[in-house]
Amino acid sequence: MYLVVFAQSFSDFRLPEFTSMCDLHQMKVKILDYSADSPFCLIDAMDKHQITTIVERCVLVQSVIEIWGSFTSRKELCEFSFSGIPVSSMSFNILLHSYGRKVPLAEKISLIEDIKYLPLSGSVDCKAPEKTYYICEEYTPKTFSPKRVFFGLLVATGNRHTIHKFNLKKRLYIGRTSMDPELGLIMTNLGQVKRGDLVYDPFLGTGSLAIPASYYGAFTAGADLDMKALRGWGKSTKKGEGEYDSRQSVHGNMQFYGIQKRFLGCHCSNFAEDLIREEDIFDAIITDLPYGVREAALKSHKPSTVGTSQFSLSAQFVQLLNFAVNTLVVGGRLVFWIPIIRASYSEETLPAHPCLTLVYNCEQILNKRTSRRLLVMKKTRGVASESDIAFVPSGPDSLESFRDVYFSLDNP
């Protein structure tokens, strides 16, 4: 049995990302105990190699612990015999991870010293140990005694460090709508992007979603109606930078990260212009449509003109789903965000298509009344009849009212 320690962010995305990676590697893992209110998840897996393979890309996984003992109190841990576990002569370190309470350093040291029967004969090495062991504690808020305690061996770590690699503050070129790098990596994992895939973003912007896909070995391409965003024309969004220079563009970002050979290029257009032939060519479509909060929803006046006018959100989602069905391979995934008015939300109001199956539906709360949901859809078959078209069910609050609700004066 293993304990997965999740990061304390994007709790609604943790399990979907983990199970998506299990599915990508065709590995069966049984979830024994998990709640979104806790970062601890108990799983049953075959072996350590399997666990390492699964979590090496998971940005919401901090670590995986092979459980040696599970307890309801510290006293049980300190008196546990650890019988049946071979004595290790390797150098080691013991760390404590707590959730629900910050444990003082002196208390941590005291707890570790009180454990009586650890099967460890090697020397303590806090800098470069051969083995690392964890005490994981979970507390009920405002209490001083843990309700669950785990002890075990660290067997794998997640991919949290990659978030810092793509930090927007360090990126060469960003815009107002550049995707948070952690969310971009999560979207790529939910899209099950792998080496050699062909991934497309019809709302490319500054390339925030193409970057992680290319980093994981996919060939990427995209489009955007805003030529300024693709080419890096105009004033920089970074404070004090002035105008963009010749290096700052989507291609410049790819060169900045050394993944330019996997970026096939981009063009200035709207996917409604039918510039991409209707053929099963993309393994994934990963995108973030504009919905009027930081960038207006736009469309072309006509195929031959790169002009803009307001475009309804409902029409955008209908076109996106139809485009995905016409260009994704069977089994390919569509990953995109949709804005939600929380009070009137139900899954029945989401855009849908007969050829697409909803795999994941994860919420990111924006404020008291609004949120956005990351939808992951899988193409299960091709179009069989004229009735196989996308639709957005009507409701008391349409997608068109999202911007008004988001900016309403009574919305904290």
Side-chain angles (χ1 to χ4, degrees), residues 335-402:
V335 184
F336 66 101
W337 292 95
I338 182 170
I340 294 295
I341 299 172
R342 302 182 71 198
S344 59
Y345 166 77
S346 71
E347 195 165 297
E348 288 70 30
T349 63
L350 297 176
H353 194 291
C355 301
L356 295 171
T357 298
L358 183 63
V359 181
Y360 296 117
N361 177 359
C362 309
E363 183 183 30
Q364 181 190 16
I365 297 174
L366 301 177
N367 53 41
K368 184 177 179 180
R369 296 179 62 187
T370 64
S371 67
R372 62 176 182 172
R373 286 183 172 269
L374 184 65
L375 304 186
V376 181
M377 296 182 173
K378 181 178 179 180
K379 182 177 174 180
T380 54
R381 62 177 177 86
V383 174
S385 66
E386 293 182 357
S387 62
D388 287 341
I389 56 174
F391 61 93
V392 177
S394 58
D397 286 306
S398 69
L399 289 170
E400 301 358 290
S401 63
F402 171 81

Side-chain angles (χ1 to χ4, degrees), residues 62-126:
Q62 286 188 340
S63 56
V64 181
I65 313 299
E66 181 185 37
I67 297 176
W68 286 11
S70 176
F71 317 96
T72 58
S73 68
R74 288 181 172 180
K75 182 179 179 181
E76 287 185 17
L77 165 63
C78 293
E79 296 179 353
F80 189 65
S81 64
F82 294 98
S83 60
I85 298 176
V87 176
S88 172
S89 60
M90 295 183 178
S91 63
F92 68 93
N93 188 20
I94 300 177
L95 302 175
L96 188 145
H97 179 94
S98 61
Y99 175 72
R101 176 182 174 236
K102 185 176 181 180
V103 180
L105 178 60
E107 188 177 330
K108 292 180 182 181
I109 296 172
S110 176
L111 172 60
I112 293 170
E113 291 178 343
D114 286 344
I115 301 176
K116 298 178 180 179
Y117 305 112
L118 279 178
L120 307 175
S121 62
S123 59
V124 176
D125 187 341
C126 296

Side-chain angles (χ1 to χ4, degrees), residues 166-229:
F166 296 120
N167 190 321
L168 292 181
K169 293 181 180 179
K170 300 177 182 178
R171 187 171 297 176
L172 178 66
Y173 173 53
I174 62 171
R176 286 180 296 173
T177 59
S178 293
M179 181 63 65
D180 174 86
E182 185 171 2
L183 286 173
L185 290 161
I186 293 169
M187 292 173 71
T188 303
N189 286 340
L190 293 178
Q192 295 191 338
V193 174
K194 59 186 182 299
R195 182 170 295 278
D197 279 356
L198 181 57
V199 179
Y200 188 74
D201 181 359
F203 293 90
L204 185 64
T206 60
S208 295
L209 298 178
I211 287 170
S214 294
Y215 175 74
Y216 286 131
F219 294 98
T220 57
D224 201 287
L225 193 57
D226 188 355
M227 177 65 78
K228 292 181 179 180

Side-chain angles (χ1 to χ4, degrees), residues 222-228 230 266-270 273 275 306:
D224 201 287
L225 193 57
D226 188 355
M227 177 65 78
K228 292 181 179 180
L230 298 177
C266 55
H267 56 102
C268 183
S269 73
N270 187 308
E273 295 176 333
L275 296 181
V306 185

